[in-house]
Amino acid sequence: ERRVQFYLSPAYFRDPPRCAAIHTLSPAAASPVTRAIERAVERHLSTRLPRVMGPGQVDRTTADLAVELSHPADRRVFQRQTGCDALVRIRIRGVTDDYFVIWSQRAVALTLELIRTIDGKLLWKAHHRAERGDGGLPFSILSLPFSAARAARLKGDHEAFESIADDAVRRMMATLPDIRPPAP
């Protein structure tokens, strides 16, 4: 299903964020799938908010300031130094990479939260699971190699997770209203 579960707070419109910093909450922060998700979030979020700080810049800044974004006092220091009044937290709920000779499936489940940096107030939250599968049940001996070939093609596609992550984030960002100022 392509349905996205989301919540949008009225506070998003009362005091809209001018800048958001991307922060990944995941034990596998350096994995290629995580990096693909972070790039997709940065790319799509920049079509919704006036300014976005990518994860690399956020990592360097938090290291320079010696702050941890999970602590409210440190978030306030981060906001004063960067001007970013919001934080987008990425929670990777699951990554699936299954292969069964005649069937292959890849999926990413994630949650994105936009919180106000100063007080941690939730402004927006979205959850979605995007997936791709290929192959199938061979109904005859002749269809067996075709099912296996389609499953192997998906398994061997090195860009599949990039595409799946982009699909998931694009669908999620569609629920976040664009608050950028109009172009002159």
Side-chain angles (χ1 to χ4, degrees), residues 12 15-23 41-42 45-55 57-58 61 69 75 78-89 113-118 121 123 176-181:
Y12 179 78
D15 185 19
R18 294 174 300 283
C19 173
I22 297 171
H23 178 58
V41 169
E42 184 175 7
L45 190 61
S46 66
T47 67
R48 301 293 182 200
L49 299 178
R51 183 173 155 236
V52 176
M53 276 183 76
Q57 187 179 5
V58 170
T61 304
L69 295 177
R75 284 197 308 261
F78 181 82
Q79 180 179 350
R80 279 194 303 273
Q81 295 297 318
T82 64
C84 270
D85 54 349
L87 196 62
V88 174
R89 295 189 296 206
E113 298 172 322
L114 178 67
I115 64 165
R116 207 168 21 222
T117 308
I118 199 85
K121 171 125 175 97
L123 302 174
L176 183 67
D178 183 353
I179 56 169
R180 294 173 301 160

Side-chain angles (χ1 to χ4, degrees), residues 97-99 101-106 132-136 145-161:
D97 189 6
D98 295 328
Y99 176 67
V101 180
I102 60 169
W103 177 254
S104 183
Q105 181 176 10
R106 289 180 163 182
R132 296 247 170 86
D134 208 347
F146 295 108
S147 295
R150 288 195 329 261
R153 186 178 60 224
L154 178 62
K155 179 65 177 169
D157 184 356
H158 301 293
E159 296 176 353
F161 276 119

Side-chain angles (χ1 to χ4, degrees), residues 113-178:
E113 298 172 322
L114 178 67
I115 64 165
R116 207 168 21 222
T117 308
I118 199 85
D119 60 5
K121 171 125 175 97
L122 181 65
L123 302 174
W124 171 79
K125 183 177 183 176
H127 176 77
H128 184 55
R129 183 177 193 273
E131 61 185 45
R132 296 247 170 86
D134 208 347
L137 291 174
F139 290 109
S140 73
I141 194 70
L142 297 174
S143 63
L144 178 66
F146 295 108
S147 295
R150 288 195 329 261
R153 186 178 60 224
L154 178 62
K155 179 65 177 169
D157 184 356
H158 301 293
E159 296 176 353
F161 276 119
E162 290 265 348
S163 179
I164 294 166
D166 195 69
D167 288 349
V169 172
R170 179 179 35 82
R171 291 176 192 143
M172 295 167 83
M173 287 295 167
T175 67
L176 183 67
D178 183 353

Side-chain angles (χ1 to χ4, degrees), residues 4-20:
V4 175
Q5 300 169 343
F6 74 98
Y7 163 77
L8 182 62
S9 170
Y12 179 78
F13 297 104
R14 281 194 303 271
D15 185 19
R18 294 174 300 283
C19 173

